[in-house]
Amino acid sequence: MTLQRFQARVHVSLRSSVLDPAGEATRSAASRLGVEGITKLRIGKAVDLELEATNEAEARKQLELLSDRLLANPVIEDWSLELHRDSSTSA
Amino acid sequence: MTLQRFQARVHVSLRSSVLDPAGEATRSAASRLGVEGITKLRIGKAVDLELEATNEAEARKQLELLSDRLLANPVIEDWSLELHRDSSTSA
């Protein structure tokens, strides 16, 4: 069975109801740096992956499992997935 | 002077020459979870911002300063910027 190669990025961000003290501290520091006008600043994670799977549906299923169970804490975080086939190389 | 409202996301990722032990640990954990076929996993930051500026060039300039000086450590990290005008609300 031929494997296809995929590239993916999973964005993990704090739910809007959850405080982000690191983001708030960064926003204060931005103001001290002279950068005004920032009304919101929240810090999340971006996980860049490369993986091999038999097809896109299988790759997506694996990544959804990974995001739900490992990359994000569903109590306080949401995640979203970008997935595309890597056409530059063949597995 | 009328201010425009913008949304932005700054991606901060480790330079490819820099080791990512947290990413490696996550990749091992993925394997134990039964998710096979991951050939690369690197963890970066995604900073979501909203800001007000007189125009897009000014907003971009502010965000580039912020990214260079505050959000990323240029010794070990690269950053990239997505910026678009927020048409849903007016400042």
Side-chain angles (χ1 to χ4, degrees), chain B residues 8-81:
Chain B
R9 175 173 274 172
V10 179
H11 277 286
V12 180
S13 53
L14 286 168
R15 287 174 187 264
S16 56
S17 57
V18 177
L19 292 175
D20 179 9
E24 276 306 305
T26 305
R27 193 152 79 96
S28 301
S31 178
R32 290 196 296 278
L33 191 65
V35 177
E36 306 290 349
I38 295 178
T39 53
K40 185 185 122 177
L41 192 161
R42 287 175 78 82
I43 300 175
K45 283 180 291 188
V47 184
D48 289 308
L49 301 107
E50 288 176 9
L51 74 161
E52 294 169 2
T54 49
N55 56 52
E56 181 164 338
E58 180 61 26
R60 187 172 295 277
K61 190 178 139 198
Q62 298 278 62
L63 288 168
E64 288 176 350
L65 173 66
L66 196 66
S67 302
D68 267 334
R69 298 279 299 277
L70 204 60
L71 302 182
N73 175 352
V75 177
I76 56 167
E77 293 172 326
D78 288 320
W79 58 266
S80 64
L81 173 62

Side-chain angles (χ1 to χ4, degrees), chain A residues 5 9 11 13 26 29-30 33-52 62 65-66 69-71 82, chain B residues 5 9 11 13 26 29-30 33-52 62 65-66 69-71 82:
Chain A
R5 195 181 290 270
R9 176 172 274 171
H11 276 286
S13 53
T26 304
L33 191 65
V35 177
E36 306 291 348
I38 296 177
T39 53
K40 186 186 122 177
L41 192 161
R42 287 174 77 82
I43 300 175
K45 283 180 289 186
V47 184
D48 289 309
L49 301 106
E50 288 177 10
L51 73 161
E52 293 169 3
Q62 297 278 63
L65 173 66
L66 195 66
R69 298 280 299 276
L70 204 60
L71 301 181
E82 293 166 26
Chain B
R5 194 181 289 269
R9 175 173 274 172
H11 277 286
S13 53
T26 305
L33 191 65
V35 177
E36 306 290 349
I38 295 178
T39 53
K40 185 185 122 177
L41 192 161
R42 287 175 78 82
I43 300 175
K45 283 180 291 188
V47 184
D48 289 308
L49 301 107
E50 288 176 9
L51 74 161
E52 294 169 2
Q62 298 278 62
L65 173 66
L66 196 66
R69 298 279 299 277
L70 204 60
L71 302 182
E82 293 166 26

Side-chain angles (χ1 to χ4, degrees), chain A residues 15-84:
Chain A
R15 287 173 187 264
S16 56
S17 58
V18 177
L19 292 176
D20 177 10
E24 275 307 304
T26 304
R27 193 151 80 97
S28 300
S31 178
R32 289 195 296 277
L33 191 65
V35 177
E36 306 291 348
I38 296 177
T39 53
K40 186 186 122 177
L41 192 161
R42 287 174 77 82
I43 300 175
K45 283 180 289 186
V47 184
D48 289 309
L49 301 106
E50 288 177 10
L51 73 161
E52 293 169 3
T54 49
N55 56 51
E56 181 164 339
E58 180 61 24
R60 187 172 295 277
K61 190 178 138 197
Q62 297 278 63
L63 288 168
E64 288 176 350
L65 173 66
L66 195 66
S67 302
D68 267 335
R69 298 280 299 276
L70 204 60
L71 301 181
N73 174 352
V75 177
I76 57 168
E77 293 172 326
D78 288 321
W79 58 266
S80 64
L81 172 62
E82 293 166 26
L83 174 65
H84 55 268

